[in-house]
Amino acid sequence: MNAESETETDTRTPPAGVAVVVIGYDDAAHVTDAVRSALAQGPAVREVVAVDDCSTDGSAGLLHRLAASEPRLKVIRRRANSGGCGTPRNTGLDAVTSPYVMFLDSDDVLPPGAAAALLEAAEGAHAEVSGGLCVRRELPSGREVPWQARLYALHAVVPHPARRPRLVHDTLCVNKLYRTGFLRAHGIRFPEGRFPYEDVVFTARVLAAAPRIALVPDRVYVWHVRRSAGRLSISLDRSGVENWRARTEACRQAYEVLLGAGHKELARAVRAKFLDHDLRMYVRELGLRDAPYRRAWWELTRAHLAEYDADDWARNPAAPGRLIGRVVLAAPEPCDLPRLRELAARPARLCPPYARAADGSPVWSDALPVSLEPLRARPVGALPLAVDAELRPCARGTRLRLRLHELYGRVAQAGPESVEVEWLHRDDEAVVVRDTAVPLAPCPSGSEPAGDPGSGEVALAPGPEPAGRAGSRAVALARGAEPAGAEPAGAVALGPCAPGSEPAGTPGCVRGGAWSAEVAVDLAALSALGVGTWDLRLRIRFRDGVTRDVSAHALTGAGLLRRSAVPSARHGVVLVQPYATHSGALALRVAPGVRGVLSVARARLRRLLH
């Protein structure tokens, strides 16, 4: 921006408009795209302030060349790198002259109309803050996942943050518009220097000032996630324990900010969000880390959770994050990581064993008798039900076997009747291959082989086809018609696990009860869209009509989770790879035809070379 045009603008009464502060460091490949997306917002954006945090890759030069032809763009180059995002954002905020301000990172973009939608909402509601939907776009696949979609489902005006405690779950600063005078009047700034998760603290400072907030369902920010990038963003680089230390510190400061401002309920909501989101996310990945990381992580987590009081634990005590937190607090050393990983999954799964104390009350394990008594009062539609899944691809038909575990008598009490099987496409969850409901057949307790009590396995015995289902079409694409050449998929219920009925070498039923079902997997439908990954989702239906959506624990063992080449009338061959996700859930990779086989081979070669 030239000085003459800047002076001319400052001498007039400025119309309501938005400043977009764009920050970047060594991101020449993307920073101009970010700036252009801000400039493309139209008349709603009065100025764009691009702050270069002392880049060494020519980013500043690119920005200056762009500013030469764009009078709304002002470029600020910092003399020393700050090591974080907070300092350059503060630098940009100090330079803003517009009545409203937004923040944009150099590797992301604003979708068309974002600034106008937020400005209209703020002006119309006389709000100091307005917020909209952010989507995480995985690159290069293009898969988009909404961030905190429930919060932005409808237009809403929140007169005080305490009226909607869930606001603390959206710790992003980039999907919001702020009245500049509001931030300055309350001295609200970002933490300086290298402070990962600076927006967690910034958001707490904003909420502590009790702004009136307008919410809109419009997409206002596209967060690009480049996991294969040579340098991961600060928030995505969770490989070192210092990242966890920084996150716990940011959450601690957010709690203290809100508590110090007298917002006790919001402060407690911050701690609840830590248990439900942050803790579960890192527990799912804990098994991927080495022993020194796990020990350091465990020690940091126990120190952080030790600050929680009785009221923090008493609220929603059966929630998975609270159960995980209590187990971590009770154990001085890392333990039961595979089982904790399953409980941290979404939806949560509490896998066997199901131990009891001497008085019969449910506990985590015999060695760690953390009480699970709150599960007895939790609605069945919210229980952490565990379903084992076993998938065996073969030329005669790929079969999916399911085993639903009892959970301290709650499942039998609710009466499970059927299970619906869905395969969700990883890159587009609107594409679903689903099966009709399959009856669940009970495996009565007491039928396990002698000497194998509580083995955690269920015997699968063939049972009669349900009435009316002979030759029925069990699987259909939710989007569009059935693919040409798709083989019909039948589903069968499994009969009770009577003693002696299990196949040779199959362990017996779960002590305390279990239910089982089997369904054919329609590989033709799954491969119709080409190479792709499919996530398994199940819906358990109970006697009174209540349902529970669950994922399934991927069983391991001989012949399981192994890539297979299955003959196909349509494609010649389909490569099928069942595997366990980071949270232990069953997923399925499918690669049809010669092209699919070659794409798998190329991907494997790239991994070997890098």
Side-chain angles (χ1 to χ4, degrees):
M1 177 188 288
N2 60 59
E4 188 173 288
S5 63
E6 188 174 12
T7 303
E8 181 182 354
T9 302
D10 292 343
T11 58
R12 299 195 301 249
T13 301
V18 179
V20 181
V21 174
V22 185
I23 65 166
Y25 169 68
D26 278 358
D27 197 17
H30 308 115
V31 66
T32 55
D33 291 337
V35 170
R36 287 191 175 97
S37 77
L39 294 170
Q41 295 296 306
V45 170
R46 270 186 55 198
E47 59 182 334
V48 177
V49 179
V51 182
D52 179 76
D53 201 13
C54 198
S55 295
T56 60
D57 67 345
S59 295
L62 294 174
L63 291 170
H64 281 296
R65 284 194 289 276
L66 186 57
S69 59
E70 178 47 73
R72 289 181 297 165
L73 175 59
K74 178 178 182 178
V75 179
I76 300 174
R77 176 171 166 79
R78 290 183 45 79
R79 295 181 179 178
N81 178 256
S82 68
C85 298
T87 298
R89 286 198 187 123
N90 289 336
T91 300
L93 182 58
D94 290 339
V96 163
T97 62
S98 301
Y100 294 93
V101 62
M102 297 176 64
F103 299 99
L104 172 62
D105 291 346
S106 63
D107 52 350
D108 302 330
V109 294
L110 297 179
L118 292 174
L119 179 59
E120 181 181 355
E123 291 276 284
H126 304 288
E128 289 85 12
V129 179
S130 60
L133 184 66
C134 168
V135 295
R136 290 165 51 105
R137 180 181 292 163
E138 300 271 354
L139 296 176
S141 71
R143 178 194 182 207
E144 293 189 349
V145 180
W147 170 259
Q148 296 297 325
R150 282 173 49 194
L151 195 57
Y152 299 104
L154 301 169
H155 288 273
V157 177
V158 184
H160 190 287
R163 299 279 189 91
R164 191 163 297 192
R166 188 160 185 89
L167 287 166
V168 304
H169 283 251
D170 184 10
T171 55
L172 301 182
C173 69
V174 289
N175 60 331
K176 300 176 183 71
L177 175 142
Y178 307 90
R179 191 183 292 275
T180 309
F182 165 77
L183 296 180
R184 290 173 176 166
H186 291 276
I188 299 172
R189 297 173 70 79
F190 292 90
E192 295 276 352
R194 181 166 180 79
F195 190 102
Y197 307 106
E198 74 294 329
D199 44 358
V200 173
V201 177
F202 177 84
T203 298
R205 291 170 178 173
V206 169
L207 297 177
R212 184 178 176 86
I213 302 174
L215 306 176
V216 299
D218 306 62
R219 286 165 44 122
V220 300
Y221 197 86
V222 178
W223 173 5
H224 287 147
V225 180
R226 298 178 172 89
R227 298 189 190 277
S228 59
R231 186 189 74 205
L232 289 173
S233 66
I234 293 174
S235 61
L236 286 178
D237 187 4
R238 298 195 290 269
S239 59
V241 76
E242 288 305 313
N243 176 278
W244 180 240
R245 188 190 305 274
R247 188 180 283 260
T248 56
E249 177 58 27
C251 292
R252 181 182 292 109
Q253 288 195 26
Y255 171 82
E256 292 172 351
V257 165
L258 289 164
L259 191 65
H263 303 306
K264 189 174 183 179
E265 291 303 308
L266 286 177
R268 291 207 182 278
V270 166
R271 284 185 166 176
K273 174 258 178 188
F274 175 85
L275 294 171
D276 183 62
H277 174 69
D278 305 85
L279 182 63
R280 291 174 72 178
M281 176 170 59
Y282 281 72
V283 165
R284 289 195 295 270
E285 300 174 351
L286 201 52
L288 305 175
R289 312 302 183 200
D290 59 22
Y293 176 101
R294 292 197 294 266
R295 285 193 297 270
W297 184 95
W298 202 268
E299 182 180 350
L300 284 169
T301 306
R302 297 184 79 232
H304 182 70
L305 296 179
E307 299 174 3
Y308 283 36
D309 60 29
D311 197 37
D312 292 319
W313 297 109
R315 299 186 179 203
N316 196 7
R322 281 174 173 78
L323 297 179
I324 293 169
R326 289 169 58 221
V327 170
V328 172
L329 266 180
E333 297 289 337
C335 67
D336 295 340
L337 297 188
R339 198 164 176 231
L340 287 171
R341 177 190 68 172
E342 302 279 347
L343 188 55
R346 293 189 184 276
R349 302 181 296 272
L350 181 57
C351 293
Y354 301 120
R356 292 182 182 270
D359 62 0
S361 61
V363 294
W364 177 258
S365 67
D366 293 335
L368 202 65
V370 174
S371 175
L372 302 182
E373 188 67 25
L375 291 176
R376 287 184 168 178
R378 193 165 179 82
V380 69
L383 284 174
L385 301 180
V387 178
D388 292 338
E390 174 185 322
L391 190 145
R392 292 184 182 270
C394 68
R396 291 175 296 174
T398 298
R399 312 295 293 181
L400 174 67
R401 293 180 169 187
L402 303 171
R403 312 165 189 187
L404 169 63
H405 291 279
E406 177 58 279
L407 187 63
Y408 298 112
R410 295 297 314 283
V411 178
Q413 183 183 34
E417 292 187 337
S418 64
V419 56
E420 299 172 20
V421 178
E422 294 184 342
W423 294 95
L424 281 63
H425 197 280
R426 177 72 58 82
D427 293 334
D428 185 354
E429 292 189 354
V431 179
V432 183
V433 173
R434 65 167 52 92
D435 179 40
T436 52
V438 182
L440 282 162
C443 293
S445 61
S447 63
E448 64 268 21
D452 188 26
S455 65
E457 296 292 342
V458 181
L460 297 175
E465 180 106 2
R469 284 186 54 84
S472 64
R473 175 74 170 105
V475 182
L477 270 173
R479 188 187 275 182
E482 177 180 323
E487 298 88 349
V492 297
L494 297 185
C497 297
S501 67
E502 58 270 7
T506 303
C509 297
V510 174
R511 181 174 58 185
W515 294 258
S516 57
E518 182 173 332
V519 63
V521 178
D522 190 345
L523 289 183
L526 296 177
S527 59
L529 297 179
V531 178
T533 300
W534 299 83
D535 292 304
L536 176 63
R537 292 291 183 271
L538 308 172
R539 177 165 296 156
I540 310 295
R541 189 171 299 276
F542 295 90
R543 186 187 305 117
D544 60 359
V546 171
T547 61
R548 173 58 166 151
D549 290 346
V550 300
S551 55
H553 164 70
L555 287 179
T556 60
L560 298 175
L561 305 186
R562 187 173 62 185
R563 182 183 293 123
S564 302
V566 179
S568 166
R570 180 175 182 180
H571 302 287
V573 66
V574 176
L575 282 186
V576 181
Q577 172 72 70
Y579 73 99
T581 66
H582 287 335
S583 67
L586 180 67
L588 186 64
R589 296 189 185 99
V590 175
V594 176
R595 288 186 179 180
V597 173
L598 290 176
S599 70
V600 171
R602 284 194 295 267
R604 187 167 187 178
L605 181 60
R606 281 196 299 270
R607 288 195 296 270
L608 290 173
L609 294 176
H610 296 88

